[in-house]
Amino acid sequence: MSSRMPPQLISDLAIERVLPVDADFGCEIESDIRDEDGVVVYVNISSHKLKLLFEMVPGMKTNNFVGEIFRAEVLRKRRRPPPEFQWLHKYASGAGSTHNSGSSCPGMDNAVGDSMERGVDGLTIQDESIADTLLGSPEISVPRQSIAKGATPIAAREIVIKYQMAMREQHYTYTQALRVYVGTWNVNGQPPTVGISEWLAQDPDPPDIYAIGFQELDLSKEAFLFNDTPREEEWQEAVLNGLHKKARYHKVALVRLVGMMLLVFVQEQHAAYVRAVATETVGTGIMGKMGNKGGVGVRFELHSTSLCFVNSHLAAHVEEYERRNQDYHDICSRMSFTRFLPPKGINDHDQVYWLGDLNYRITDLDPRLVKDYIDQGNYLPLLEYDQLCQQHSLKNVYAGYQEGNITFRPTYKYDPGSDNWDSSEKNRVPAWCDRVLWKGDGITQVAYRSHPKLRISDHKPVSSLFDSQIRVIDAAKYRKIHEEVMKKLDKLENEFLPQVMVDNTEVIFDTIRYLESQTRDLIIANTGQVPVTFEFIKKLDDSSYCKDWLNIEPYSGFIMPGEKCDIKLEVYVDKKSAFKLNSGEDKLYDILVLHLDGGKDIFITVTGTYERSCFGSSIEALVYISVPVREIPLGRLMELENAKEVTSTQDPYPIPKEIWFLVDHLYRHGLKQPHLFEEPGLNSDLLQIRNWLDNGSPDPMPGSIHSVAEALLLLLESTAEPIIPYNLHSVCLDAANNYVQCKQIVMQLPEHRKNVFLYLCAFLQEVLCHASYNGLDTKIIAALFGTIFLRDPPRSRGDLSSQARMNQQALDRKKVNFVYHFLVNDQSDFILGR
Amino acid sequence: MSAGPYNYSYIFKYIIIGDMGVGKSCLLHQFTEKKFMADCPHTIGVEFGTRIIEVSGQKIKLQIWDTAGQERFRAVTRSYYRGAAGALMVYDITRRSTYNHLSSWLTDTRNLTNPSTVIFLIGNKCDLDAQRDVTYEEAKQFADENGLMFVEASAKTGENVEEAFLETAKKIYQSIQDGRLDLNAAESGVQHKPSQPGRNTLVNDQQVNKDTCAC
Ligand SMILES: Nc1nc2c(ncn2[C@@H]2O[C@H](COP(=O)(O)OP(=O)(O)OP(=O)(O)O)[C@@H](O)[C@H]2O)c(=O)[nH]1
Ligand SMILES: [Mg+2]
């Protein structure tokens, strides 16, 4: 809930709920493509019975949010024992209290306390320190769609892989205890005039990791102002000489800010497993910036464990403990390893070791008493007055860190060159300024001590040894598990390909007849997990996705998961396709390719039997058929259709008997019919006429005059070629204004077409003689039959540009002219000429 | 969290062809899911599978088209050859007829793909050695004569399945390296993806940081 929308300051926000990332926590991410405004990411968070849905815009912020949740999940795996989330009770009422309950006991894992402390700017689920602490949920579903798409704004495959790998970490890692040496020494600006193996190498076994911190490396003005000092080289040299001789070391990093220097080494055998090294410095000196105080840090990953070492020099002076606390917090909040995205802070590490001259003193005790206790070796009463112990147990500083028992003399302040306490006027009270603390799992301190024999400084060096559990990647297991993860994702990727079920991939139609449509339904069900866009697509070399006698409705579409789409397949053989089926050029057979966008193709076979008809048969074939078309064998019809020269025992008819039947009927019953050829027939009549012609019948021809007239036109239009063959089409049009030329062309027509042409013209002249009854106009009849006799060659009508339309009008006029000649001139000489 | 959306550098298109029932779908399934499908229905169409593999440290996404083997679909499946970088041509070692048809499959492949398409011959069902109808030697000779890579494999046991797919990819990758395969050619069957200078995978991290920790 926020007091200002959109919120601009932290104070605009209030805590509404605090959810533990425990075993009951769930987080699912779905990204969905939205129409216009692109992609939205939905984050479904569930915790116990609560369910929250966040709609988020993809981008860095969302990335971080989701990333942190993922990280919390991962970290849960590592935390043992699982936290109890007691601190959550405070939020049960929904109040946004950020007060420290102070109830957690010192020494226990304090990361929770740490986040409390930062409560003002934290306590959203994004807060890293909380995420670090909380338990994760066992399952996060991967963004499935995104994987199928191969790319997504968030949680891309790589992230998912990383996450999945992290979840399986314990299966490919084992822990190995490494010896970590942490040393700190305020050298008071002195050069290394003595060997320091006394400090660094006094143990029998060589440590695996060294982290060696110095403070007051150089107290000169140059060092302070220009951060440049010869001491860096000198002390590094001294360190290299002082490292344990039983092992060879590899420098991981050196980082220095003025007098604070931190050197980290690993044994050479580990060097290959060091990754992601980064260093950072934070100055908290004058103006909160200068580097005379502050901290320097080195972080890296060794095998699979992230480590951070911080060397700090906090504010001086006995009474300044709060300033020191503040320095600590400044270092925590400002030390950010920015080469990572998001940047990593000190707390974002599995293990943190904090060393340095922390400068906390012993207060409120008489200096003499202090020295007495020290001489007795009785440190406990003193530690009660140690500011760091006090502040630490109050959780004002180093919350979440641990420190071992101090069993060594205070390391400050000595007269240089001696083991004597400061003898200057100030007569400072001895103090444990130099300390080592740590935070993280699997760390056992095995030594914490000072090295009093090194006397060049007013401080004694301190060191601590740890046995730290480092998670080591078993390369073979890692590869195996990585492969498994990849396989799982591949599998998911395959599973989230679009999937559909089609109820029938072999669609069979009953007998199909000319002009009689038949439909079949097809159900496409989306059985997959993602929305499916489907489309019937063209096969190679095909011009359309289906044959021209088939219609698919809809031929493309979109189906949501779990939903269905009904597809209607309609077969309808008309004048465009009939002749191909009659001649066998085409069959009622098609394989449709149903394509799923981004997925597979399904073949759907469509079959049916076509019942041959005189419609679609050529004039040349029909004249040889003396019986109804249905009575001759199918093979014979194809033979006739395809033969160049027909061989037949019987003489052909001059014109097809079907044309004769139709014309004769019109001649006898329809000459006086008003609007003959101008009114459409009835479809049912047409089918009956078709049957009458194809099957033969003793009954009179069925249907109205208009239906018979239309049947005649259809018969002429359904042939493969028009009466005037395509190859003479343009010749005719060119000659259209010249009757003599037109007549010559007609004389050259194939015999049966010429017969049909002249027969029809004679009939039309007769019709026009009855114009007073039927009201027909010669020009109109010429126009009608012009388009039939001079049918345009295929595809020439496709172009609908205005230029093409104008051309078409001119051509149509020529067709009218061509036919007109034959309707107004006496044709008897023609017919006799035969 | 800053990983790029692409974590593979190339996409290779494969087709799997061969007579019906030789085990094409099972081979694909075995490759993508590591499982055998004992009663796999005939493929009525073209199935699609993907898997990301690694060749010479490069991640490659294989896009595999498994075609219907039934003769009646032959004309339609020809549409799918175009743009394949790899063709897995499969026969069934227990059915001689499937072997005899190889030359016709090969003709189609050569005619419909480009010269750099890698053709890999797979004699499938080698687990059924007792019912063997085509000897290894005979098929090997056919493969050699036609310049094809060849293994006998079993979609059932998984034997050589991985190898066939990976060897094909290696060969394609080599062709890219040698410059024999022109990535810009529209029908090379290979797409190059911009790869992020990743530092997010564990493996990459190691490489990147070697230089930062040099002594
Ligand atoms: N024993 C044995 N059987 C196999 C093997 N591969 C496939 N089969 C079986 O062979 C039959 C056909 O396999 P499919 O993968 O469907 O064959 P296909 O080549 O895809 O067939 P189409 O899709 O019709 O082209 C199935 O019953 C499989 O179980 C194998 O390696 N060994
Ligand atoms: Mg199949």
Side-chain angles (χ1 to χ4, degrees):
Chain A
M1 239 191 307
S2 59
S3 52
R4 178 162 40 174
M5 282 301 279
Q8 279 151 29
L9 294 171
I10 283 292
S11 56
D12 292 341
L13 298 171
I15 296 168
E16 186 159 16
R17 270 178 218 284
V18 182
L19 306 178
V21 184
D22 58 13
D24 241 77
F25 182 86
C27 172
E28 288 198 35
I29 302 147
E30 292 289 344
S31 71
D32 203 358
I33 306 296
R34 252 204 206 166
D35 302 353
E36 295 109 57
D37 31 15
V39 182
V40 198
V41 176
Y42 295 104
V43 181
N44 270 299
I45 289 180
S46 58
S47 175
H48 300 268
K49 279 186 183 120
L50 180 75
K51 287 204 178 352
L52 300 169
L53 176 66
F54 297 90
E55 184 178 319
M56 303 182 77
V57 183
M60 200 58 197
K61 293 200 171 97
T62 304
N63 256 8
N64 289 347
F65 177 72
V66 174
E68 288 306 326
I69 292 175
F70 276 24
R71 272 159 38 82
E73 304 271 323
V74 171
L75 284 154
R76 175 190 74 101
K77 290 267 164 191
R78 297 186 183 169
R79 258 186 213 282
R80 250 162 237 96
E84 288 161 47
F85 296 102
Q86 277 170 348
W87 58 275
L88 264 182
H89 299 331
K90 276 199 314 170
Y91 298 97
S93 60
S97 161
T98 56
H99 284 257
N100 188 345
S101 68
S103 63
S104 46
C105 27
M108 79 166 242
D109 188 329
N110 277 336
V112 173
D114 186 33
S115 64
M116 286 299 173
E117 201 166 54
R118 293 172 35 177
V120 227
D121 53 56
L123 285 177
T124 59
I125 199 79
Q126 296 104 306
D127 191 291
E128 290 169 6
S129 57
I130 293 184
D132 278 359
T133 313
L134 305 195
L135 286 175
S137 81
E139 262 308 309
I140 281 191
S141 69
V142 285
R144 315 183 143 170
Q145 261 174 280
S146 320
I147 293 177
K149 293 198 183 93
T152 163
I154 67 150
R157 186 184 168 98
E158 194 122 320
I159 297 169
V160 177
I161 290 173
K162 207 178 168 190
Y163 165 70
Q164 295 278 347
M165 286 309 289
M167 292 299 279
R168 288 163 176 73
E169 195 173 40
Q170 75 257 38
H171 300 299
Y172 60 84
T173 59
Y174 55 93
T175 59
Q176 187 184 344
L178 294 192
R179 178 60 56 91
V180 180
Y181 176 104
V182 177
T184 176
W185 193 11
N186 181 325
V187 294
N188 194 25
Q190 300 302 309
T193 49
V194 292
I196 54 172
S197 56
E198 158 68 26
W199 173 37
L200 300 179
Q202 64 155 231
D203 301 299
D205 296 321
D208 295 281
I209 301 170
Y210 267 113
I212 302 157
F214 295 93
Q215 304 84 34
E216 298 194 355
L217 204 63
D218 192 334
L219 295 168
S220 70
K221 215 180 266 166
E222 286 73 23
F224 178 61
L225 292 176
F226 307 113
N227 195 19
D228 184 27
T229 171
R231 296 278 190 271
E232 176 177 315
E233 245 335 288
E234 292 165 18
W235 278 105
Q236 177 169 211
E237 196 62 32
V239 166
L240 285 170
N241 289 329
L243 295 178
H244 210 292
K245 293 288 179 289
K246 283 195 194 153
R248 290 166 60 81
Y249 288 93
H250 163 92
K251 184 170 82 177
V252 175
L254 178 156
V255 59
R256 186 178 62 81
L257 177 66
V258 190
M260 294 173 287
M261 177 162 87
L262 177 62
L263 280 150
V264 175
F265 298 87
V266 295
Q267 277 194 29
E268 255 176 13
Q269 50 164 325
H270 303 305
Y273 307 101
V274 171
R275 311 179 275 117
V277 182
T279 64
E280 203 56 61
T281 65
V282 172
T284 58
I286 300 156
M287 297 186 305
K289 277 209 299 267
M290 298 307 282
N292 57 332
K293 293 290 186 301
V296 294
V298 172
R299 68 86 57 200
F300 62 97
E301 275 148 44
L302 179 59
H303 292 283
S304 193
T305 298
S306 60
L307 299 162
C308 183
F309 294 93
V310 182
N311 169 25
S312 67
H313 191 187
L314 308 184
H317 307 300
V318 179
E319 63 287 355
E320 293 282 13
Y321 70 90
E322 282 179 325
R323 173 74 219 160
R324 288 187 271 283
N325 291 356
Q326 187 55 48
D327 283 355
Y328 160 80
H329 291 298
D330 285 353
I331 294 167
C332 281
S333 60
R334 285 167 51 202
M335 188 165 293
S336 171
F337 298 94
T338 49
R339 60 162 279 197
F340 303 96
L341 263 176
K344 288 186 193 296
I346 294 171
N347 283 327
D348 299 328
H349 293 88
D350 297 324
Q351 299 183 357
V352 184
Y353 300 88
W354 195 306
L355 54 121
D357 179 357
L358 309 185
N359 251 329
Y360 289 94
R361 308 299 169 91
I362 295 168
T363 43
D364 306 324
L365 272 186
D366 177 68
R368 296 175 63 95
L369 189 61
V370 170
K371 285 173 188 167
D372 283 349
Y373 276 129
I374 294 169
D375 288 340
Q376 296 159 20
N378 188 4
Y379 303 133
L380 273 179
L382 294 181
L383 286 165
E384 277 179 35
Y385 293 90
D386 175 71
Q387 291 171 329
L388 180 55
C389 287
Q390 290 172 346
Q391 294 300 309
H392 190 205
S393 66
L394 288 171
K395 300 199 180 306
N396 290 338
V397 77
Y398 292 104
Y401 285 79
Q402 300 181 52
E403 189 186 15
N405 292 331
I406 293 177
T407 56
F408 50 89
R409 284 161 66 89
T411 52
Y412 178 79
K413 172 177 180 156
Y414 295 89
D415 284 336
S418 77
D419 292 336
N420 304 327
W421 299 119
D422 176 33
S423 58
S424 70
E425 282 164 27
K426 291 181 186 163
N427 187 20
R428 290 207 172 79
V429 183
W432 286 288
C433 287
D434 307 285
R435 311 285 274 263
V436 176
L437 294 93
W438 74 92
K439 182 179 128 163
D441 292 337
I443 304 174
T444 312
Q445 193 177 46
V446 291
Y448 193 23
R449 68 233 164 151
S450 71
H451 304 264
K453 285 182 191 141
L454 288 171
R455 301 182 176 98
I456 52 176
S457 167
D458 55 353
H459 288 254
K460 300 294 185 190
V462 166
S463 71
S464 175
L465 288 179
F466 298 95
D467 277 338
S468 301
Q469 301 295 331
I470 301 293
R471 277 188 315 282
V472 180
I473 294 174
D474 180 322
K477 281 187 186 159
Y478 177 85
R479 264 197 300 278
K480 190 167 159 284
I481 288 171
H482 189 256
E483 191 153 297
E484 278 168 18
V485 166
M486 296 284 280
K487 262 179 211 145
K488 186 175 160 186
L489 289 187
D490 284 341
K491 194 164 165 288
L492 279 179
E493 191 159 349
N494 287 315
E495 269 172 25
F496 294 106
L497 287 172
Q499 286 295 348
V500 300
M501 287 271 287
V502 177
D503 67 333
N504 184 7
T505 55
E506 302 207 11
V507 181
I508 301 168
F509 284 87
D510 293 338
T511 305
I512 301 285
R513 296 183 185 87
Y514 182 73
L515 282 197
E516 227 173 294
S517 99
Q518 228 180 78
T519 60
R520 289 285 181 274
D521 286 329
L522 202 65
I523 301 168
I524 306 178
N526 184 345
T527 53
Q529 321 267 357
V530 292
V532 166
T533 304
F534 71 86
E535 183 178 353
F536 285 90
I537 56 167
K538 282 194 284 196
K539 295 176 285 287
L540 199 65
D541 305 328
D542 280 1
S543 55
S544 171
Y545 58 86
C546 68
K547 296 281 184 65
D548 53 10
W549 42 262
L550 184 64
N551 183 43
I552 307 174
E553 192 58 45
Y555 81 98
S556 69
F558 179 83
I559 315 172
M560 290 303 287
E563 291 183 359
K564 290 176 183 170
C565 181
D566 289 338
I567 307 286
K568 202 173 83 181
L569 300 181
E570 182 189 21
V571 173
Y572 183 68
V573 177
D574 64 4
K575 60 188 180 188
K576 291 198 300 293
S577 45
F579 64 90
K580 289 183 223 157
L581 294 167
N582 266 351
S583 67
E585 184 194 328
D586 193 6
K587 287 195 292 265
L588 270 188
Y589 178 83
D590 198 4
I591 296 175
L592 309 175
V593 181
L594 173 61
H595 173 71
L596 309 184
D597 188 24
K600 65 176 179 182
D601 290 3
I602 298 162
F603 297 163
I604 293 164
T605 314
V606 174
T607 48
T609 353
Y610 180 63
E611 191 169 274
R612 61 198 178 279
S613 168
C614 59
F615 291 87
S617 297
S618 64
I619 287 162
E620 283 74 12
L622 288 175
V623 291
Y624 281 97
I625 302 170
S626 55
V627 293
V629 168
R630 296 282 300 138
E631 284 175 25
I632 59 154
L634 182 61
R636 174 64 181 158
L637 180 62
M638 279 192 202
E639 195 183 303
L640 289 171
E641 287 293 351
N642 294 307
K644 293 260 156 19
E645 289 290 325
V646 176
T647 48
S648 176
T649 49
Q650 123 210 20
D651 281 342
Y653 290 123
I655 58 165
K657 62 182 183 306
E658 287 80 6
I659 293 180
W660 184 84
F661 280 133
L662 294 167
V663 170
D664 184 59
H665 185 86
L666 294 173
Y667 185 82
R668 279 195 269 143
H669 306 289
L671 288 179
K672 295 181 179 173
Q673 177 73 44
H675 304 295
L676 186 66
F677 293 116
E678 287 178 350
E679 291 218 342
L682 284 172
N683 201 56
S684 53
D685 282 355
L686 286 171
L687 301 185
Q688 284 186 40
I689 295 165
R690 178 202 65 197
N691 288 347
W692 190 91
L693 290 170
D694 288 343
N695 297 331
S697 168
D699 301 334
M701 186 181 286
S704 71
I705 291 297
H706 289 305
S707 296
V708 174
E710 190 176 349
L712 175 64
L713 299 181
L714 270 173
L715 190 66
L716 298 170
E717 281 186 305
S718 299
T719 53
E721 273 211 314
I723 308 265
I724 309 283
Y726 290 132
N727 60 3
L728 293 177
H729 186 81
S730 58
V731 184
C732 287
L733 296 183
D734 291 345
N737 292 329
N738 185 326
Y739 176 47
V740 179
Q741 271 185 36
C742 291
K743 275 212 292 195
Q744 277 168 3
I745 296 167
V746 169
M747 288 304 288
Q748 288 164 29
L749 289 178
E751 190 186 351
H752 299 288
R753 299 206 201 179
K754 183 181 70 189
N755 294 345
V756 171
F757 181 81
L758 293 173
Y759 176 72
L760 288 170
C761 289
F763 165 66
L764 292 174
Q765 288 201 3
E766 193 62 37
V767 169
L768 289 166
C769 286
H770 295 77
S772 54
Y773 298 97
N774 56 34
L776 290 179
D777 174 85
T778 312
K779 281 265 172 182
I780 290 173
I781 291 295
L784 176 64
F785 280 84
T787 58
I788 288 171
F789 292 150
L790 285 159
R791 191 195 314 162
D792 287 319
R795 274 187 282 279
S796 68
R797 274 209 182 251
D799 190 353
L800 288 176
S801 68
S802 59
Q803 179 65 37
R805 264 203 307 275
M806 274 177 33
N807 288 344
Q808 192 62 48
Q809 279 175 9
L811 294 180
D812 286 347
R813 257 196 296 278
K814 289 182 182 175
K815 289 181 198 169
V816 177
N817 291 346
F818 180 89
V819 177
Y820 190 80
H821 297 303
F822 297 92
L823 299 183
V824 295
N825 291 296
D826 181 19
Q827 304 297 318
S828 48
D829 55 326
F830 244 130
I831 296 164
L832 292 176
R834 176 186 176 245
Chain B
M1 294 301 289
S2 62
Y6 305 116
N7 61 332
Y8 44 86
S9 338
Y10 295 95
I11 301 177
F12 291 176
K13 174 182 168 180
Y14 280 19
I15 49 164
I16 315 182
I17 49 169
D19 278 11
M20 68 180 229
V22 297
K24 298 180 294 298
S25 301
C26 290
L27 286 166
L28 172 62
H29 197 75
Q30 177 64 252
F31 180 66
T32 57
E33 317 264 314
K34 292 267 161 286
K35 276 194 209 114
F36 175 62
M37 291 191 292
D39 31 37
C40 175
H42 280 302
T43 306
I44 310 293
V46 177
E47 298 276 346
F48 182 81
T50 84
R51 194 180 132 184
I52 292 178
I53 56 159
E54 212 171 294
V55 170
S56 312
Q58 289 282 348
K59 291 221 177 66
I60 293 165
K61 180 169 184 155
L62 299 184
Q63 259 185 9
I64 310 153
W65 298 87
D66 162 35
T67 60
Q70 292 178 52
E71 182 60 32
R72 64 191 174 112
F73 294 131
R74 190 75 181 263
V76 188
T77 50
R78 287 197 180 102
S79 313
Y80 295 87
Y81 287 59
R82 189 188 270 162
L88 307 184
M89 195 165 77
V90 188
Y91 69 96
D92 176 350
I93 67 153
T94 70
R95 275 193 297 144
R96 184 145 204 104
S97 61
T98 67
Y99 173 80
N100 292 340
H101 290 153
L102 286 178
S103 53
S104 115
W105 288 110
L106 186 59
T107 309
D108 273 3
T109 312
R110 296 250 199 256
N111 288 342
L112 297 163
T113 63
N114 59 65
S116 56
T117 300
V118 174
I119 308 174
F120 201 110
L121 179 64
I122 301 176
N124 190 36
K125 308 197 188 178
C126 73
D127 56 296
L128 302 176
D129 200 50
Q131 287 146 259
R132 182 185 282 279
D133 206 10
V134 182
T135 65
Y136 177 86
E137 290 70 25
E138 184 181 3
K140 175 72 182 146
Q141 194 185 340
F142 174 83
D144 288 346
E145 281 165 6
N146 291 286
L148 316 175
M149 307 213 278
F150 171 61
V151 288
E152 283 191 351
S154 167
K156 187 171 183 178
T157 65
E159 185 182 341
N160 280 337
V161 174
E162 193 87 0
E163 286 76 359
F165 283 87
L166 295 188
E167 289 302 316
T168 307
K170 274 187 205 156
K171 191 81 178 284
I172 297 167
Y173 188 68
Q174 263 170 29
S175 302
I176 298 171
Q177 299 299 95
D178 310 344
R180 263 178 294 143
L181 197 151
D182 178 10
L183 288 182
N184 297 322
E187 299 189 352
S188 67
V190 174
Q191 286 174 54
H192 193 66
K193 285 274 189 182
S195 192
Q196 280 233 334
R199 51 148 204 257
N200 286 285
T201 63
L202 285 160
V203 186
N204 275 348
D205 259 7
Q206 237 148 13
Q207 291 158 354
V208 170
N209 290 300
K210 282 253 166 64
D211 41 36
T212 32
C213 60
C215 213

